[in-house]
Amino acid sequence: MGRRFEVEDGATLLHRSGAGGPTVVFLAGGGMFSLYYWNVHNLVAEFTTSVIYDRLGTGWSETVDLPRSGTQVTDDLHQLLHAAAVPGPYVLVGHSLGGLYARLYAKRFPGEVTGLVLLDPTHEDIVDYLSEEKAQRLRDSNTDDLFPPEQLDAMRTAYQTTFGRALAGWPAEIVAHYLRQPSSACWPDSLSRGV
């Protein structure tokens, strides 16, 4: 599925289906990657070009230190779309954290974007709308502290079982690879430490 293209900071996976325009590009939420959008990607590809990709450090793209800045992420996407010769203009579909990246991409490269679809998007000012206690908790959060080591195996099994059922209709080779992914595929990155 798809192929990797070189951008400045590493090889990035992109899968394209369909034909025509405008091209729809899916930007995954945090801790997610392209295959989460496989079904809707295939539906969109029935009437136009549809693109799913894995940001650097996620899915089948090259491993990099995370987190990365919005500028780095949008530079990567800009380079990727051009390296893969994906025709514009683009309709960016940003889910959660991907919504932030979609909006930033449109701001930085307005001539390439014809529309935005934001699915439960995160907003950069979210902390301003929280109580001080919740805002401080968010600023201080550390995923390393969320899960006690003795719970990791049980949580891994639960995630794999749940995602295995949810993906039952997907191609078997994709599901098998997806469920083997040690990080954001089936459990938060903090759960993959020590795998």
Side-chain angles (χ1 to χ4, degrees):
M1 186 203 84
R3 74 177 257 227
R4 289 167 59 150
F5 293 87
E6 288 294 328
V7 298
E8 184 176 337
D9 293 331
T12 306
L13 179 101
L14 178 141
H15 179 74
R16 175 185 0 194
S17 296
T23 298
V24 175
V25 180
F26 290 89
L27 288 80
M32 302 176 93
F33 56 93
S34 60
L35 286 184
Y36 280 88
Y37 307 92
W38 181 254
N39 292 338
V40 69
H41 161 73
N42 287 327
L43 291 171
V44 169
E46 292 178 8
F47 61 86
T48 193
T49 303
S50 183
V51 170
I52 53 178
Y53 81 104
D54 293 334
R55 288 188 294 271
L56 286 173
T58 69
W60 287 268
S61 289
E62 196 165 320
T63 301
V64 296
D65 289 334
L66 297 176
R68 291 171 56 76
S69 72
T71 299
Q72 290 172 307
V73 170
T74 53
D75 280 346
D76 294 341
L77 178 56
H78 186 253
Q79 293 169 20
L80 174 64
L81 293 171
H82 290 274
V86 175
Y90 309 119
V91 172
L92 303 179
V93 179
H95 169 231
S96 191
L97 179 61
L100 280 173
Y101 296 142
R103 288 177 47 236
L104 182 58
Y105 191 99
K107 182 177 179 180
R108 295 187 67 217
F109 308 105
E112 297 182 10
V113 177
T114 192
L116 295 173
V117 177
L118 304 176
L119 307 170
D120 194 19
T122 301
H123 192 276
E124 61 272 16
D125 296 330
I126 189 170
V127 174
D128 296 340
Y129 295 93
L130 299 174
S131 68
E132 183 52 39
E133 176 187 340
K134 290 180 181 177
Q136 192 60 46
R137 193 171 359 165
L138 182 62
R139 285 190 287 266
D140 294 342
S141 67
N142 179 349
T143 56
D144 292 340
D145 298 333
L146 293 178
F147 306 105
E150 63 274 8
Q151 292 181 0
L152 293 181
D153 287 336
M155 292 176 76
R156 285 185 187 108
T157 300
Y159 274 104
Q160 286 179 319
T161 300
T162 300
F163 279 97
R165 274 186 295 224
L167 305 177
W170 289 23
E173 66 277 7
I174 292 175
V175 173
H177 187 80
Y178 181 85
L179 293 177
R180 282 193 309 268
Q181 293 298 306
S183 59
S184 59
C186 296
W187 42 77
D189 189 50
S190 60
L191 293 179
S192 69
R193 291 185 178 91
V195 172

